Amino acid sequence: MQDGSSPTIVAIDGPAGAGKSTIARLLAQRLGYTYIDTGAMYRAVALCSERQGISWDDPDGLERLTLSLDLEFEPDGERSRLLVNGEDVSEAIRTPQISRGASEVSRWPGVRCALVEQQQRMSAEQSVVMEGRDIGTVVFPQAQVKIFLTATPEERSRRRTAELSERGEEADPEQVLQEVLDRDRRDCEREHSPLRQAEDAMEVVTDGMSIDEVVEHLARLAEGRAKA
Ligand code: DC
């Protein structure tokens, strides 16, 4: 919080693979705010529905499931871990299958409402850097700082391929690009809270920028806005 009265909200939205997670996490550290990865919450719903045999095409079942989940972010050094009903699912939610599932389950308004409510509660008493698809448009339209972080699909698929191979997973760059484009289409074309840039968001295209450069740029922007 800047003055002890109201928390500051930095909203970062953008498409898959734009570097939101890494950048939002580092920015939060730099500003001393809490980092919240809302994509991880949609991923948790996809993971639990798969485990419980609830179809990604079953909006009522998914809504009931979402309302039953206790989601909690726990700080772990420089990272944060996501606990679902006490179980650490941070690794299990990072597979290509669950990426696709998250994009499928996030179509349904019942799932979105339940998660948006939790996201708003998480930020009631602390300054946050929150990243996702609808933070500046739906979750916190009143956020003091709104960033739309993006990069070309080719650059985003290059980063995803590198990320997967760092984790020891074989990835075909062409297939990764196709998955990125499919996910863009689903996230942008869905009926409820599609991915779009808020009118008052600042667009940052990260092609050719290093992570440090982007963080530095956003920190200056956030510090300026939070004081205003
Ligand atoms: O940011 P991510 O790749 O972890 O997000 C996974 C999926 O969750 C993404 O394809 C769309 C969905 N999502 C969403 O609809 N709204 C958010 N605020 C965050 C993610």
Side-chain angles (χ1 to χ4, degrees):
M1 292 190 202
Q2 292 299 304
D3 57 5
S5 57
S6 59
T8 298
I9 293 161
V10 178
I12 302 187
D13 291 302
K20 293 190 303 295
S21 301
T22 307
I23 284 160
R25 183 170 52 78
L26 292 171
L27 180 66
Q29 261 171 37
R30 158 100 180 243
L31 298 172
Y33 294 179
T34 298
Y35 162 54
I36 298 176
D37 170 5
T38 61
M41 300 167 78
Y42 290 93
R43 286 169 180 271
V45 173
L47 177 72
C48 295
S49 57
E50 194 175 62
R51 285 179 176 175
Q52 295 186 25
I54 299 168
S55 160
W56 294 336
D57 290 324
D58 172 6
D60 294 339
L62 289 169
E63 179 176 1
R64 270 194 302 278
L65 169 72
T66 308
L67 289 168
S68 77
L69 297 178
D70 176 25
L71 301 176
E72 201 186 337
F73 288 100
E74 190 180 74
D76 174 23
E78 293 190 342
R79 307 196 160 259
S80 79
R81 313 203 69 77
L82 177 58
L83 306 185
V84 179
N85 299 337
E87 178 197 345
D88 181 356
V89 298
S90 314
E91 305 298 327
I93 58 173
R94 298 287 157 198
T95 65
Q97 164 78 351
I98 296 302
S99 297
R100 196 168 66 76
S103 159
E104 299 276 357
V105 301
S106 63
R107 281 176 294 157
W108 304 115
V111 171
R112 301 202 69 85
C113 271
L115 292 185
V116 166
E117 223 171 77
Q118 292 202 34
Q119 290 153 12
Q120 290 169 335
R121 253 186 282 126
M122 285 173 175
S123 320
E125 289 174 357
Q126 54 184 351
S127 291
V128 296
V129 175
M130 187 175 280
E131 56 119 334
R133 303 293 189 287
D134 59 343
I135 312 305
T137 50
V138 175
V139 185
F140 289 113
Q142 78 283 19
Q144 294 88 334
V145 185
K146 294 187 191 178
I147 315 279
F148 193 80
L149 198 69
T150 187
T152 56
E154 291 72 22
E155 174 69 18
R156 292 187 281 124
S157 70
R158 257 196 302 280
R159 291 180 191 163
R160 270 278 192 256
T161 309
E163 214 177 273
L164 288 168
S165 86
E166 254 173 47
R167 293 211 309 251
E169 290 169 37
E170 282 289 313
D172 167 16
E174 278 302 309
Q175 193 188 336
V176 174
L177 175 61
Q178 198 48 55
E179 280 165 9
V180 163
L181 293 174
D182 285 349
R183 214 135 69 89
D184 281 359
R185 189 179 39 72
R186 273 198 302 271
D187 293 349
C188 295
E189 289 179 3
R190 69 179 176 223
E191 188 182 347
H192 301 281
S193 308
L195 169 65
R196 64 177 174 83
Q197 182 173 348
E199 274 176 20
D200 50 351
M202 170 93 175
E203 185 184 47
V204 178
V205 182
T206 63
D207 286 58
M209 288 175 86
S210 71
I211 290 173
D212 287 348
E213 279 169 339
V214 180
V215 173
E216 182 62 33
H217 179 64
L218 299 193
R220 268 195 256 120
L221 210 79
E223 282 160 356
R225 292 276 173 90
K227 274 188 212 124

